[in-house]
Amino acid sequence: MNQAALHKLIASQKGEQGLEELFQLRLATNLTLIKDLFFSLYPEEHFSETFEKLLKKLPKLFKTRPEILKQQDIARLEKGNWYQSEKLVGTQLYVDHFSKDLNGLVEKLPYFEDLGINFLHLMPLTTRPKGENDGGYAVNSYDKIDKKYGTQKDFEKLTKQLREKEMYVMLDFVVNHTSNEYPWAKKAMAGNKKYQEYYYTYTDRKIPDEFEKNLPEIFPQTAPGNYTFVPEMNKWVMTCFNSYQWDLNYTNPEVFLEMLTNLVKLANLGVDVVRFDALAFLWKKMGTISQNLPEAHMLTSLFRMCLQVIAPGTILLAEAIVAPTNIIKYFGENSRTGNECELAYNASLMALLWNAIATKETLLLHKSITNIPQKPKDGTWINYIRCHDDIGLGLDDRFIHEMGWNPQEHRKFLLNYYCQKLAWSPAKGMLFMYNPKTGDGRITGSAASLLGLEKALEENDTALIDEAVAKIIMLHGIVLAFGGIPLIYAGDEIATLNDYSFLKNKTKKEDSRWVNRPYHDWGGVSNLKSKKTPQSKVFFTLKKLIALRKQLSVFADANNLFLHQTNNKHILVFERKKGESNGVLVICNFNTTAEVIDGSFLAKLGYLKNQEFKDLITAKKTKLNSGFLEIEPYQLLWVRKMS
């Protein structure tokens, strides 16, 4: 009998006592790994008593978990890797920009059901400073809902509705830092040395200056450097992000114990997926850039192993927007199950798709993806073309060199292409955090504006409007078919343009990421029925693609994605395959002109019969002309194997 079946049997026969027995079983299963991880971070000769505190804390935290969520945990263990299902499609949103508050969001759930969305990533909902707060990522609390969104009861009402509709919710756990208004920071400023040791605090600049020799600047324009002087305690504190975000000192094991409690409180609100924010930064070490350190991986794994004991139905997402070879490591080192996060952002795919749009070529995308080590079978990606954040250019310099390009000049071209520095470019994006010392920068903008719709509408150019719509559909069609959970930023499904209203808000105007965090256009939604506008074309096509995805079991993530080379640099082809007879071939043209590929390529893979193929999107069979398949500019094909 496997562990999931054993869990179900015990829980069904023994009720509350059975749940307690299952907790003890999970603890026994994970205890050796928890102990090894803890003492790898915190040497046993100094922290054996702290480890005993952890062992006493775990059953106490388990007792705080609501009964309905304990039962859900059992059901999910029985179900297996629910997060790899082809039926999951997500969206990301700011509640106040989408529906004003949580009760409004409950009322809008039919909108998601109509589109086919069943996975919601809600941006931070907990209390935060009233002024600048990094979009809620400067936290004053980890579980108290900010009153502008509603109450904890309102959130629990939402999660109850989501469970009934078999929908899932993801919230952020800001694991790297707190705001300077967090209770620990306030106590530290008041002189409490215990809480000063919860952060990296120093009486002079000697150690900070040594750290600064290697630490990069995250926000060089608005928050240069990595330390802030706090006059209230007459000390310097590490602030890698903004001056009001204090980095937590995880070399102090008490911080881990406290944050584990905060993690469980968040999970107990009914959260299905916890997004570990900025986890690459968790461990700081002098002489390094303090990102992606082995200790950060061990700490993430320790969080996961403890959470599996307490709330095994809740899973973790790695928010690690780092180099492609580093992203994969946040699933963990175990080739089968991993031991860190079940989910990770596919930031590499995102950056490579935007590169392909700008260059009209797919060779760098193909080369990069095929050279990333395969993820563990029990992990999966979050695939997206953009999120609430900026678009970074996390491309591998080695592969850029192999393309014959200069990496620095190529990144400069991409910034110029998307940030209105090239008159011929259709993109209308904005530059974010440009660092003149390094030439590095990032891109902001809504998908529609970056893909040319805003400029095309301004110029009233019908051909360019159609081209922009095709680009929007093609990129979303790729992430809907790629291996993992597709995530659509709210508003992109109706081709929402840049929102420049942030420039009039003194707390937001220095942060151009707000240009791609628009208020939802409910007026535009009410006009979708016309079906002739760019917005309706995007909406109804994405709705169709989502429904198709859910019908095709081959889109469930089982490491069953295969990239194919066609010898045409403008064409991207990948296959989702399940056995010899069940497969879907995804074909895209990134060029502004029609391109062709040899039909024998499709025939060899089993997608052509009597010179005919079937496109699932149009539900039509098409016969090849002269043995070649012609793909229109920015056309997306989902081709089914011919029986």
Side-chain angles (χ1 to χ4, degrees), residues 200-214:
Y200 293 91
T201 59
Y202 305 97
T203 55
D204 57 42
R205 286 287 311 192
K206 184 178 179 180
I207 293 177
D209 286 345
E210 285 299 313
F211 266 107
E212 290 282 24
K213 290 177 181 178
N214 300 94

Side-chain angles (χ1 to χ4, degrees), residues 85 101 109 137 147 161 214 224 245 247 315 360 398 408 428 478 509 536 629 640 642:
S85 171
D101 57 21
L109 291 183
Y137 286 93
K147 63 182 180 181
Q161 288 276 309
N214 300 94
Q245 290 167 301
D247 286 61
I315 63 173
K360 303 180 179 66
R398 174 172 50 120
Q408 188 172 6
K428 291 200 71 171
I478 291 170
K509 65 181 181 179
S536 62
L629 169 62
R640 189 71 181 268
M642 299 290 282

Side-chain angles (χ1 to χ4, degrees), residues 27 106 179 184 196 201 247 301 304 314 345 370 408-409 431 434 461 472 488 501 526 545 604 636:
L27 179 57
V106 171
S179 81
W184 301 343
Q196 288 179 1
T201 59
D247 286 61
S301 186
R304 177 182 172 184
T314 302
Y345 280 124
T370 54
Q408 188 172 6
E409 289 300 312
L431 192 60
Y434 179 72
D461 188 320
I472 296 167
I488 301 169
S501 65
S526 66
L545 291 175
K604 184 179 179 182
L636 167 74

Side-chain angles (χ1 to χ4, degrees), residues 366-615:
H366 190 280
K367 186 183 291 286
S368 300
I369 295 295
T370 54
N371 280 277
I372 295 174
Q374 193 172 69
K375 64 175 177 57
K377 290 181 180 179
D378 285 347
T380 202
W381 294 111
I382 292 279
N383 295 312
Y384 59 114
I385 64 172
R386 76 168 187 93
C387 64
H388 73 292
D389 229 331
D390 54 274
I391 297 171
L393 303 178
L395 308 171
D396 194 310
D397 286 357
R398 174 172 50 120
F399 299 134
I400 297 176
H401 274 298
E402 290 179 10
M403 296 291 296
W405 302 331
N406 176 290
Q408 188 172 6
E409 289 300 312
H410 185 62
R411 287 187 174 85
K412 181 179 178 182
F413 159 71
L414 293 173
L415 292 176
N416 289 341
Y417 177 91
Y418 284 112
C419 301
Q420 306 180 62
K421 297 293 180 69
L422 299 173
W424 55 266
S425 170
K428 291 200 71 171
M430 299 181 74
L431 192 60
F432 180 67
M433 290 298 156
Y434 179 72
N435 189 338
K437 292 184 288 186
T438 63
D440 292 333
R442 282 107 82 187
I443 300 158
T444 58
S446 74
S449 291
L450 289 174
L451 292 171
L453 184 59
E454 183 175 344
K455 188 172 184 179
L457 289 170
E458 288 173 352
E459 297 176 0
N460 196 26
D461 188 320
T462 303
L464 287 180
I465 290 171
D466 290 342
E467 183 180 279
V469 168
K471 289 180 189 176
I472 296 167
I473 291 168
M474 183 183 73
L475 289 192
H476 282 100
I478 291 170
V479 298
L480 281 164
F482 218 78
I485 302 173
L487 192 70
I488 301 169
Y489 193 87
D492 284 355
E493 81 283 1
I494 53 171
T496 304
L497 305 180
N498 286 342
D499 181 356
Y500 299 104
S501 65
F502 80 99
L503 294 169
K504 299 177 182 178
N505 187 319
K506 65 180 181 180
T507 67
K508 296 178 179 178
K509 65 181 181 179
E510 300 300 326
D511 187 345
S512 67
R513 291 174 298 179
W514 288 105
V515 78
N516 51 243
R517 301 167 179 173
Y519 287 86
H520 207 71
D521 182 10
W522 290 107
V525 170
S526 66
N527 292 326
L528 288 174
K529 291 181 181 178
S530 70
K531 298 192 177 182
K532 294 182 179 180
T533 65
Q535 292 78 14
S536 62
K537 289 176 183 177
V538 170
F539 180 86
F540 287 107
T541 305
L542 293 189
K543 179 178 176 178
K544 183 177 184 179
L545 291 175
I546 290 169
L548 271 174
R549 169 189 162 86
K550 293 183 178 185
Q551 294 168 15
L552 299 167
S553 62
V554 72
F555 283 150
D557 186 10
N559 279 359
N560 60 332
L561 181 139
F562 306 89
L563 264 70
H564 295 292
Q565 186 61 267
T566 66
N567 297 318
N568 185 323
K569 65 181 181 180
H570 304 292
I571 301 296
L572 172 68
V573 178
F574 63 87
E575 184 179 17
R576 301 298 305 282
K577 190 164 63 172
K578 189 177 181 181
E580 290 302 315
S581 60
N582 190 3
V584 173
L585 200 66
V586 179
I587 305 173
C588 310
N589 178 11
F590 278 78
N591 204 1
T592 53
T593 59
E595 295 290 333
V596 297
I597 58 176
D598 194 328
S600 63
F601 168 77
L602 274 73
K604 184 179 179 182
L605 293 172
Y607 292 89
L608 194 66
K609 187 176 181 180
N610 298 325
Q611 293 296 295
E612 197 174 55
F613 70 91
K614 181 178 180 180
D615 176 29

